[in-house]
Amino acid sequence: MAYTVRDLVNYLETVAPPSYQESYDNAQLITGNPNAAVSSVLCTLDATEEVVAEAVRLGCNVIVAHHPIVFKGLKSLTGKNYVERTVIAAIKHDIAIYAIHTNLDHVRHGVNKKIADKIGLSHTRILQPKKQILSKLTTFVPHEHADAVLSALFDAGAGKIGEYAGCSFLATGTGTYTASAAANPHLGVREKPHREPETRIEVLLPSYLERKVLAALRKAHPYEEVAYFLHQLENENQEVGAGMVGELPEAMEERSFLLHLKKAMELQVIKHTALTGKPIKKVAVCGGAGIFLLSAAKSAGADIFITADIKYHEFFDAENQLIVCDIGHYESEIFTKELLKELLSQNFPNIALYLSKVVTNPITYL
């Protein structure tokens, strides 16, 4: 079966919806024709000139990267910097570049879960869940159509709470209406008041699915005019947010854990605050620059917080309550390319998938 670039993009955006990315981000298809057939895919942390050259050598016409090569608008394409040269090379060789960045950081089985798995954490949860990304739909259906409408809503993505699917609240009542002379009522008679026993249905849904769920509601509902309420919720979505916290199978002495971390994440160096003298059991992580989550890590009772890009004065904020580690931005996220390959292999088993061997880390250590 032949797949298009659009097929890959649509799948990846069900895994990590673009609406979950930060406002500064540019997670999307950056170069390439969405309708082009996919030959093979190169998975990478960064899309650089060297990575594009690697894709050409391997015969890949798609690069799936974590970091977007373009963050800001380009006003020219003259090759004056590495960003422009990378984009020019990709266009020249008909290579599509797709970036899946902070949206992949924010999903339950994304970047931070990969880090947690490498370290060996269990009982993981989102460290700082996002708010205002859930909606509640309330609608009213004749009793005999309630199951069909519920099924349509569930199929469209509503009714999922954590590890539970098919979640709803149902109540019974009486709906009233008077159809006009121009109406075509499913039940009742034109221009006469009608009362109908109805089921009240309430379901939660990710806000980005509102249009899809409403379309499913209208298609499955028997009424000509569908009554419903849609509300955005303040509730935290426990499946979406920044960072992750989990537990080791057994508590470890601090230095032993740091050596374990260095081996598991294949690190050359770890910058960290003073040891606290307490064993390590609960571990908080955030790939990339995550010091903004330090308070959340403390509140979660973490014994150690692992992230990157920490400034000098920010290390003081640990205040000996926990160990804070900076393992490097590249190092914290390098296994994301493995995650990308794993995700794509689940849905596109017939497409050749490659892990980039180019070391894109701009930092070297003496």
Side-chain angles (χ1 to χ4, degrees), residues 142 173-179 187-189 192-198 223:
T174 302
T176 67
Y177 55 84
T178 300
L187 297 167
V189 180
K192 288 187 177 181
H194 180 77
R195 289 174 177 259
E196 183 64 34
E198 293 179 338
Y223 285 174

Side-chain angles (χ1 to χ4, degrees), residues 235-294:
N235 302 46
E236 293 180 341
N237 187 339
Q238 300 297 325
E239 299 297 300
V240 181
M244 183 157 282
V245 61
E247 296 182 359
L248 293 166
E250 300 289 339
M252 297 180 68
E253 184 271 330
E254 294 165 302
R255 180 172 172 80
S256 296
F257 175 77
L258 290 173
L259 292 173
H260 164 69
L261 173 64
K262 191 171 185 180
K263 181 179 180 180
M265 296 296 291
E266 300 178 14
L267 307 173
Q268 295 186 52
V269 63
I270 301 175
K271 294 165 60 179
H272 64 83
T273 55
L275 304 185
T276 64
K278 298 179 293 185
I280 303 295
K281 175 67 173 177
K282 185 173 286 189
V283 180
V285 302
C286 181
I291 195 61
F292 68 96
L293 292 172
L294 179 57

Side-chain angles (χ1 to χ4, degrees), residues 8-21:
L8 264 67
V9 170
N10 288 343
Y11 168 68
L12 289 171
E13 291 186 351
T14 63
V15 174
S19 60
Y20 291 165
Q21 68 181 298

Side-chain angles (χ1 to χ4, degrees), residues 82-222:
Y82 81 96
V83 173
E84 292 185 11
R85 290 192 297 272
T86 301
V87 172
I88 290 170
I91 294 172
K92 178 180 178 181
H93 293 284
D94 290 325
I95 293 175
I97 297 177
Y98 179 75
I100 180 168
H101 191 208
T102 52
N103 47 332
L104 189 61
D105 290 333
H106 288 152
V107 293
R108 176 71 174 79
H109 296 284
V111 173
N112 294 304
K113 182 61 163 61
K114 186 66 177 177
I115 297 171
D117 289 345
K118 296 294 290 187
I119 298 173
L121 305 183
S122 60
H123 307 297
T124 55
R125 61 178 177 84
I126 296 291
L127 183 57
Q128 187 178 81
K130 279 185 172 289
K131 296 182 178 181
Q132 296 182 329
I133 58 172
L134 286 173
S135 297
K136 184 180 81 168
L137 172 67
T138 304
T139 190
F140 311 88
V141 190
H143 292 327
E144 63 270 24
H145 292 274
D147 287 343
V149 170
L150 268 177
S151 294
L153 296 178
F154 295 154
D155 288 345
K160 294 180 181 178
I161 303 176
E163 296 299 322
Y164 295 84
C167 303
S168 68
F169 177 79
L170 308 177
T172 59
T174 302
T176 67
Y177 55 84
T178 300
S180 73
N184 184 27
H186 177 74
L187 297 167
V189 180
R190 296 185 183 93
E191 298 185 299
K192 288 187 177 181
H194 180 77
R195 289 174 177 259
E196 183 64 34
E198 293 179 338
T199 300
R200 177 188 176 113
I201 296 175
E202 297 183 10
V203 291
L204 299 185
L205 61 138
S207 296
Y208 76 92
L209 286 178
E210 285 180 1
R211 183 176 297 181
K212 181 180 180 182
V213 170
L214 288 177
L217 170 64
R218 294 188 178 99
K219 184 175 181 180
H221 204 291

Side-chain angles (χ1 to χ4, degrees), residues 56-73:
V56 172
R57 290 195 301 272
L58 292 171
C60 298
N61 69 334
V62 179
I63 295 172
V64 177
H66 184 45
H67 295 140
I69 183 60
V70 178
F71 270 105
K72 300 176 181 178

